[in-house]
Amino acid sequence: MNTSTSVKWLEEAWQQGAAKTIRNAKRIKDTFPHIAPQGTYDRNDPEWWTAGFWPGLLWLVYGDAPENEAAAPLHRIAESCERQLEGCLRDPESVDHDLGFIWLLSGVANYRQTGSMDGRRRGMLAANLLAARFHVRGEFIRAWNFSSSAMDTRGVAIIDSMMNLPLLYWASEQSGDPRFRWLAEAHADTVAREFIRADGSICHVVEFDPHTGQKLREHGGQGHAPGSAWARGTAWALHGFALSFRYTGEARYLETAERAADFFLAMLGEEIVPVWDFRAPAEHQVAWDSSAAAIAASGLLELAKLSPRGETYAAAGERIVRGLHEHYSSGDSAAEEGLIMQGTVHYPEGRGLNVPIIYGDYFYMEALAKLRGHAGLF
């Protein structure tokens, strides 16, 4: 940040988001919000994949100023969320590929910020459970547990998984055991080969034969259809592969991250927030996804530290974050608990259209934290 004007907008954005998070914590407490369709965040079960984003947001804000008395309760609330989440680790039906989303932002964040050995223990247990989902023949991490008439979920992997791999990289660093990293790299290589197209677009869901591991077909998932370009999935890819490069130094992951980032930015153009699927037909371009913009912005700022084209990615990431603040933020409004507006959860199923989403809020604040010189929690 080079000018006083830039510093002013950035500090304003961070302070607004931090103050609202502190205010929201008085009502949300140690529950698990997902969307805020009428201005107020709902409550979900701790088994739901988004359960880590609220404690993650609390750790971001608390970690910025732990001496701030107003932020002190955030520490206790986040730890209470973590204790509830531990119960899910005891039920094999309650854990899936999203263990990284949950535990990097709760137990691992707690361990990194406070030295909590309970946080480390829970994070290592989660990493072991994530590693146990690795399909040896197909070399991918299985996604869901539920059955579906549309696909055999015993052989399904999804693009979101790239953001969960840092839990495995972290576990290798903590334990000195390279197997966690080997599994993460094998999965990343499969995703790069089977999910990322030549033009940098991605597919959300790939179905593999659960017995042989061979690729069977692509599914549209939360995108419009097979062959489309789900905006949030593109953001998961660019951010996730940037993180894999950061942990491993393997150049192939940097190249994949750059390809996904270039596609995202080309399709975004001069806009701040993308339509939910870059290839949605005109009649379906009625929902936008600010969460995709926030995820991509934080990923671009990560990529900026790693790529020879870092200045280009840094400028793009800052432009998006500033645009979110100036045009999509709820600001100081007491009527809105969400930090940024117009996110979309699942357009094909008609769920959560043009609403604040907790992971949009998290990645918005993570991107702001990065612009202020701090690291994110992934």
Side-chain angles (χ1 to χ4, degrees):
M1 311 304 296
N2 298 318
T3 70
S4 59
T5 302
S6 295
V7 171
K8 183 178 179 181
W9 82 259
L10 179 58
E11 285 306 302
E12 177 184 79
W14 174 265
Q15 295 303 331
Q16 281 183 348
K20 181 162 286 191
T21 299
I22 292 169
R23 190 160 62 245
N24 287 346
K26 296 176 181 178
R27 188 196 68 81
I28 295 173
K29 299 179 181 177
D30 57 352
T31 63
F32 299 97
H34 183 198
I35 61 174
Q38 304 298 326
T40 302
Y41 264 114
D42 61 2
R43 295 187 177 190
N44 271 261
D45 296 330
E47 293 85 0
W48 192 235
W49 76 274
T50 61
F53 289 104
W54 174 238
L57 188 55
L58 298 178
W59 282 119
L60 273 182
V61 174
Y62 174 80
D64 179 69
E67 72 286 350
N68 181 356
E69 289 186 11
L74 306 188
H75 178 182
R76 295 190 294 273
I77 293 170
E79 288 193 325
S80 179
C81 289
E82 182 184 328
R83 288 190 292 271
Q84 294 178 66
L85 291 168
E86 183 175 15
C88 302
L89 297 177
R90 303 190 185 102
D91 180 3
E93 298 301 319
S94 295
V95 297
D96 58 22
H97 66 286
D98 283 322
L99 284 159
F101 275 132
I102 295 169
W103 287 98
L104 287 164
L105 304 185
S106 56
V108 175
N110 189 5
Y111 171 61
R112 284 170 165 166
Q113 291 196 23
T114 73
S116 167
M117 295 308 293
D118 275 337
R120 182 186 184 279
R121 172 182 58 79
R122 292 161 180 152
M124 287 300 300
L125 174 56
N128 277 275
L129 291 170
L130 182 59
R133 299 187 68 82
F134 187 75
H135 190 291
V136 176
R137 290 186 174 177
E139 297 193 333
F140 63 85
I141 294 170
R142 180 190 173 187
W144 302 307
N145 299 324
F146 61 79
S147 59
S148 168
S149 59
M151 65 189 81
D152 188 339
T153 56
R154 295 176 302 165
V156 162
I158 65 175
I159 194 64
D160 318 40
S161 60
M162 289 304 303
M163 294 297 296
N164 291 283
L165 297 186
L167 181 64
L168 298 178
Y169 297 129
W170 171 82
S172 267
E173 292 176 350
Q174 286 293 306
S175 65
D177 188 337
R179 292 177 299 169
F180 294 104
R181 172 175 164 167
W182 292 342
L183 294 182
E185 288 191 17
H187 178 81
D189 289 340
T190 298
V191 172
R193 183 180 67 250
E194 306 293 2
F195 286 70
I196 314 297
R197 307 183 186 111
D199 64 357
S201 65
I202 61 92
C203 55
H204 181 198
V205 179
V206 171
E207 181 181 356
F208 301 87
D209 185 296
H211 301 289
T212 67
Q214 295 298 307
K215 182 178 180 178
L216 297 177
R217 60 189 63 87
E218 172 186 332
H219 295 270
Q222 288 175 247
H224 174 69
S228 67
W230 180 43
R232 190 160 70 248
T234 313
W236 290 141
L238 79 87
H239 199 157
F241 275 101
L243 290 168
S244 277
F245 175 69
R246 179 177 181 179
Y247 277 99
T248 69
E250 295 292 342
R252 63 189 183 275
Y253 300 146
L254 176 61
E255 187 276 332
T256 304
E258 290 175 331
R259 192 145 42 97
D262 293 345
F263 177 83
F264 187 96
L265 293 173
M267 298 302 290
L268 185 66
E270 297 302 313
E271 299 298 323
I272 299 299
V273 168
V275 69
W276 65 280
D277 189 311
F278 289 122
R279 291 177 178 152
E283 64 270 23
H284 292 291
Q285 294 185 16
V286 294
W288 287 262
D289 193 2
S290 60
S291 75
I295 295 160
S298 185
L300 289 164
L301 294 172
E302 198 67 41
L303 195 53
K305 307 170 191 174
L306 308 168
S307 169
R309 293 189 282 146
E311 290 186 6
T312 297
Y313 293 129
E318 181 178 338
R319 184 187 75 85
I320 294 171
V321 180
R322 184 168 185 171
L324 288 172
H325 166 60
E326 294 178 348
H327 302 292
Y328 292 88
S329 168
S330 64
D332 295 322
S333 171
E336 292 286 350
E337 287 186 342
L339 305 186
I340 56 172
M341 315 300 289
Q342 286 191 259
T344 289
V345 173
H346 198 321
Y347 183 88
E349 292 186 357
R351 291 193 285 114
L353 308 184
N354 297 315
V355 297
I357 308 173
I358 192 63
Y359 44 82
D361 286 357
Y362 170 82
F363 283 104
Y364 170 65
M365 289 296 284
E366 182 181 78
L368 289 171
K370 288 178 179 178
L371 286 172
R372 298 175 77 243
H374 302 292
L377 301 184
F378 283 87

